[in-house]
Amino acid sequence: MDMINMLPVECISLIISFTSPRDACRSSVVSPVLRIAGDSDFVWERFLPQDYEQIISQSPSSSSLNSMSKKNLYFRLCSHPIIISNGNMSFALEKQSGKKCYMVCARGLTIAWGDTPAYWHWITLPHSRFAEVAELKLVWWLDIKACIETKDLSPGTTYAAYLVYQLSQHRYGFESPLVSRISYQQSDVVTVHSVILDPRPPRPRARDRGDGWIEVEIGEFFVEQGDDDDVVECSVKEVSNSKRGLIVEGIEVRPKGI
């Protein structure tokens, strides 16, 4: 420890910046010198995405975010997703790794018949992070899709995509499986699963998120290093029976297995 304390704070900060957010937090309780080094903007800017400034510049709260220390900014983005892309997406960080998480809101999704008032109704809910969510009135042809550019995601990362939704009291048609699909616009790689949106037992795949919404995993995909010119498509579809009472907040992608 004495040898560490003899090093310049800048050198200690450089060493800590090659570790992880968790290690930086642990080091800051060891000694005053390590706390100064571990809490520095130099260290925490290394843990933020390289394009974080461009991302938060899209947020209505960009000025307050930019005034924070880099450590406070990091943890703010972990716990409070920010709205970007003209209100069509939210952005957050995964706390342990600093990897990117996005949710495409209902207005940013491609929803079959979504602009037809007889089938879908756009409403405001106080516990949604977005200005509007989509409420299903009645359809047979349910088809919901999000498109996310791989260049916006963290490379070398396995992501999972989730449909984030509620089911109203008067719902029906969701006891049967829906087809979930992950595909790419510039590749023939496709993964297909079946999901059931009803979260009641014995439906273990749908779960309460703890924020007033339910989520079910659509599937997973891996973002390669240098994979910055493709688009991932995440979708759910069911066309064989009538359905009503689904309320869609969005489709979220976040790192899996961390």
Side-chain angles (χ1 to χ4, degrees):
M1 183 59 64
D2 289 340
M3 291 182 62
I4 293 177
N5 289 333
M6 292 172 62
L7 291 172
V9 172
E10 294 78 7
C11 291
I12 301 173
S13 294
L14 179 60
I15 294 168
I16 295 174
S17 72
F18 287 105
T19 61
S20 69
R22 174 180 287 184
D23 291 332
C25 289
R26 287 173 172 170
S27 68
S28 67
V29 301
V30 173
S31 74
V33 171
L34 285 176
R35 182 170 63 252
I36 294 170
D39 289 350
S40 68
D41 280 354
F42 177 84
V43 167
W44 288 91
E45 190 161 31
R46 291 288 191 98
F47 298 147
L48 291 164
Q50 290 185 351
D51 58 348
Y52 79 92
E53 292 178 315
Q54 186 273 328
I55 294 170
I56 65 175
S57 70
Q58 303 175 51
S59 169
S61 57
S62 59
S63 59
S64 62
L65 294 170
N66 283 322
S67 68
M68 294 179 177
S69 70
K70 297 301 185 284
K71 181 178 181 179
N72 287 343
L73 174 61
Y74 181 94
F75 285 108
R76 174 76 179 183
L77 293 174
C78 292
S79 58
H80 295 82
I82 60 172
I83 303 302
I84 61 171
S85 190
N86 297 316
N88 287 325
M89 297 181 77
S90 69
F91 169 79
L93 296 179
E94 196 282 323
K95 188 173 182 179
Q96 293 187 50
S97 64
K99 292 179 182 290
K100 298 175 179 178
C101 309
Y102 289 95
M103 187 188 298
V104 182
C105 75
R107 276 293 187 190
L109 301 174
T110 301
I111 301 177
W113 307 105
D115 292 326
T116 305
Y119 301 134
W120 289 90
H121 180 49
W122 293 89
I123 60 174
T124 299
L125 292 179
H127 55 280
S128 174
R129 67 184 67 173
F130 298 112
E132 288 182 304
V133 296
E135 181 178 26
L136 173 60
K137 296 175 72 175
L138 180 68
V139 293
W140 281 70
W141 192 283
L142 179 70
D143 192 355
I144 301 170
K145 180 171 67 177
C147 296
I148 300 173
E149 295 184 67
T150 53
K151 69 178 178 63
D152 292 331
L153 301 174
S154 298
T157 303
T158 298
Y159 277 89
Y162 301 86
L163 178 68
V164 181
Y165 65 98
Q166 292 178 351
L167 293 172
S168 73
Q169 245 183 335
H170 306 291
R171 67 185 181 265
Y172 65 77
F174 295 103
E175 300 79 15
S176 302
L178 283 69
V179 175
S180 66
R181 175 186 172 104
I182 302 289
S183 60
Y184 300 84
Q185 288 188 359
Q186 299 188 36
S187 168
D188 294 331
V189 176
V190 177
T191 59
V192 179
H193 302 281
S194 63
V195 296
I196 295 178
L197 301 193
D198 193 331
R200 295 172 296 185
R203 316 293 190 197
R205 292 194 65 184
R207 70 175 191 90
D208 192 316
R209 288 166 55 93
D211 61 358
W213 296 91
I214 303 166
E215 69 179 18
V216 67
E217 185 177 324
I218 297 171
E220 63 181 61
F221 58 94
F222 184 72
V223 180
E224 300 277 359
Q225 294 281 352
D227 185 9
D228 58 359
D229 61 351
D230 209 342
V231 176
V232 182
E233 299 181 345
C234 315
S235 64
V236 292
K237 187 174 183 179
E238 205 290 319
V239 298
S240 64
N241 62 279
S242 62
K243 294 163 283 292
R244 69 174 297 169
L246 173 67
I247 302 171
V248 178
E249 185 178 40
I251 290 179
E252 182 175 59
V253 295
R254 61 179 190 260
K256 184 174 183 179
I258 294 176

